[in-house]
Amino acid sequence: MLPLRIAWRYLIAKKSHSAVNIISIVSLAGVAVATAAIVVVLSVFNGFTSLAERQLSRLDPDLMVSRADGRPFAGADSLAARIAALPGVSLAMPSLTDRGLIVADGRQLPVVFKGVTPDYNQLVEIDSVAIDGAFLCGSDPYGRAMSQLAVGVAAQLSGGPATLNPELYVPRRVGRINPANPATALSSIPLRVSGVLQLDQMDFDADHIIIPLDRARELLAYDFAEATAIEVALEPGATARHLIRDISEIAGAGFDVLTRPEQHRETFRMISLEKWVTFIMLAFILLIAAFNIISTL
């Protein structure tokens, strides 16, 4: 304590030049403000990370199995059944994600569509993000695929459940195309909107829709139970680390098993980068203020 008392005495002692007193006060204020700012900013960014994880966990599975190159793979149904049989796994289901064009009443919008099975609401908390309607998976009596639109899609199409019946188009993968009729280059299925979803995450709310898995495979002309991912829900108390190893052995080479943060690696990397850049800037300010105090003493 003696060195601290000596430093404090000489810091607040009256100097022969009033400018030195001003520098001392400003330096002390700079240290206090910079230190408080570091604590507050790091706390805020940690809160952003926790909030993002909490929001994304409502529609993201505990683990996701996909090819390292992101391409669809065959035999997804059998692979999901083998993963579901592992101890610690409560549910495993295939999903198929691709891009398409949704058209309704003359309005067109590029979207990301995801095909899921009827038990998707048991794997994620999709009902908790529905702001209108409900999650329904299947086809109505008119052959239209039941679908759920992200709030941004519903807003741009100016509709919702019971008022919007769009069509989903993708480029045709197989079959002959008539150059004289450009419409033959596209495959489509009719949709019936059963719900509107809002996750409060821009990358989802802007352009995502959810449709039944079998209709997504029909639209893309996929055979052999193809999918782009296997989504896995863990039982309470199960350890993800051990299951990742077991699932990797079942899936084989060329497959990745991703946790929730790894499924949105770019989002969390951006938050982490912003946090540490801000910390370095504030630490530099704190360092300058500390040198001012040292020079004043």
Side-chain angles (χ1 to χ4, degrees), residues 103-124:
V103 179
D105 300 327
R107 298 182 178 88
Q108 303 178 3
L109 181 67
V111 295
V112 177
F113 65 91
K114 181 177 184 178
V116 300
T117 59
D119 53 358
Y120 185 63
N121 59 340
Q122 301 177 27
L123 186 137
V124 298

Side-chain angles (χ1 to χ4, degrees), residues 209-260:
I209 71 172
I210 294 176
I211 64 175
L213 177 61
D214 57 345
R215 300 304 300 272
R217 286 171 171 167
E218 171 192 334
L219 177 64
L220 295 168
Y222 279 144
D223 297 323
F224 308 112
E226 291 185 89
T228 54
I230 305 294
E231 304 191 15
V232 182
L234 306 183
E235 294 179 351
T239 305
R241 181 179 59 187
H242 296 123
L243 281 170
I244 289 174
R245 184 185 62 240
D246 296 338
I247 294 172
S248 298
E249 293 176 356
I250 293 176
F255 283 83
D256 291 332
V257 184
L258 306 176
T259 60
R260 280 194 180 119

Side-chain angles (χ1 to χ4, degrees), residues 95 173 178 264:
S95 65
R173 293 182 60 251
N178 182 3
H264 297 274

Side-chain angles (χ1 to χ4, degrees), residues 146-213:
M146 307 300 292
S147 62
Q148 295 77 47
L149 309 183
V151 63
V153 179
Q156 294 189 62
L157 297 180
S158 301
T163 64
L164 193 62
N165 296 304
E167 288 204 36
L168 180 61
Y169 291 85
V170 298
R172 186 182 298 275
R173 293 182 60 251
V174 296
R176 302 183 64 180
I177 298 174
N178 182 3
N181 184 10
T184 60
L186 300 174
S187 298
S188 67
I189 57 170
L191 304 178
R192 178 182 176 183
V193 178
S194 67
V196 177
L197 310 176
Q198 183 173 0
L199 189 59
D200 293 326
Q201 291 291 327
M202 182 58 66
D203 56 349
F204 177 86
D205 290 341
D207 60 359
H208 278 61
I209 71 172
I210 294 176
I211 64 175
L213 177 61

